[in-house]
Amino acid sequence: MFAVIVVLALLVGGPALAADVVVKDAATLQLGGVTYRLEGIDAPEFDQRCINEFADPSACGLEARDAAVKLIAGRAVTCRDLGPDPVFSGRRVGACTIAGDGSNLSQRLVQAGLALNADPKGRFAADETTAKEARLALWRGCFVAPTSFRRWDKTASLIGAACRDDRKTAMLDLMFPEMPPMPEGCAIKGKLAKRARLTGNVGVYQLQGCPSYASLIKPNRWFCSEDDARAAGFRKAYNCRIGAKR
């Protein structure tokens, strides 16, 4: 899996335990067999595309993930488990803090312009406003909210200093390309599909080796693992369930 590993620590009703953690995206950390979504924020999905300050397409999901790793800077992080994630299947919600930094990690990411406030009480709203006014990280360019990207909403509002109303259609076309480039090492294809809603999902995913993998030339999403695809609300394609290469 294409991901960055740093040393963190987990706190679940007891002493912190050091372990290797995969930073999946700017708001998602995996510790062993548990994956945490950081409380109160939302950040670009790993495969999300944006427009940078030079009006060029950018892999903002990857860039935000890498910037989050630099923010942590190899320091230990303690996380308090807040329970199951109500949106992402199989995830837990975590309240995390970087060692030597009294601030909530969620708040630090919003302050750095790497994530948006998603707290119902608006705890990080002022931090978001400050980052926006300073044009930090994501705010320098133009992007859509991660929730709009996950819905593949081509009518979404544009956010950021580099957005131009007179070029909205062209910018959205770049953010929602017909053939999104595959992130290195993340070859699982996801396609939004109305039929998937019958099973409570938003789409289906195809693994390499599945009968319809090659013919799916216009996926909406790319995933690094089946766990990531399921967490995003995608189910495995029915013709992919027997004899497919994982």
Side-chain angles (χ1 to χ4, degrees), residues 39-100:
E39 62 155 344
I41 65 172
D42 203 3
E45 293 296 318
F46 180 81
D47 56 330
Q48 188 166 341
R49 306 282 291 178
C50 301
I51 306 296
N52 64 24
E53 63 267 40
F54 306 110
D56 294 321
S58 68
C60 58
L62 282 172
E63 292 166 1
R65 190 280 312 272
D66 292 346
V69 172
K70 292 181 180 179
L71 177 65
I72 294 170
R75 293 172 290 176
V77 173
T78 57
C79 294
R80 181 164 52 92
D81 190 323
L82 300 180
D85 191 311
V87 177
F88 293 85
S89 176
R91 301 317 199 209
R92 309 288 294 180
V93 178
C96 304
T97 305
I98 303 173

Side-chain angles (χ1 to χ4, degrees), residues 213-235:
Y213 183 89
S215 62
L216 178 53
I217 59 173
K218 295 181 179 180
N220 299 116
R221 301 286 310 276
W222 290 96
F223 299 104
C224 302
S225 71
E226 291 189 70
D227 178 64
D228 293 340
R230 288 190 292 265
F234 289 72
R235 64 162 174 79

Side-chain angles (χ1 to χ4, degrees), residues 83-160:
D85 191 311
V87 177
F88 293 85
S89 176
R91 301 317 199 209
R92 309 288 294 180
V93 178
C96 304
T97 305
I98 303 173
D101 184 340
S103 300
N104 182 296
L105 179 54
S106 295
Q107 182 178 28
R108 294 282 285 115
L109 289 165
V110 175
Q111 290 173 337
L114 302 173
L116 306 181
N117 171 68
D119 183 78
K121 297 182 179 180
R123 283 185 298 156
F124 313 125
D127 299 299
E128 180 182 298
T129 298
T130 300
K132 178 180 179 180
E133 291 175 348
R135 300 187 178 187
L136 300 179
L138 292 169
W139 298 104
R140 283 196 297 270
C142 184
F143 62 104
V144 298
T147 52
S148 297
F149 174 76
R150 289 191 286 268
R151 293 194 301 266
W152 206 252
D153 181 4
K154 295 183 178 182
T155 66
S157 298
L158 299 180
I159 308 170

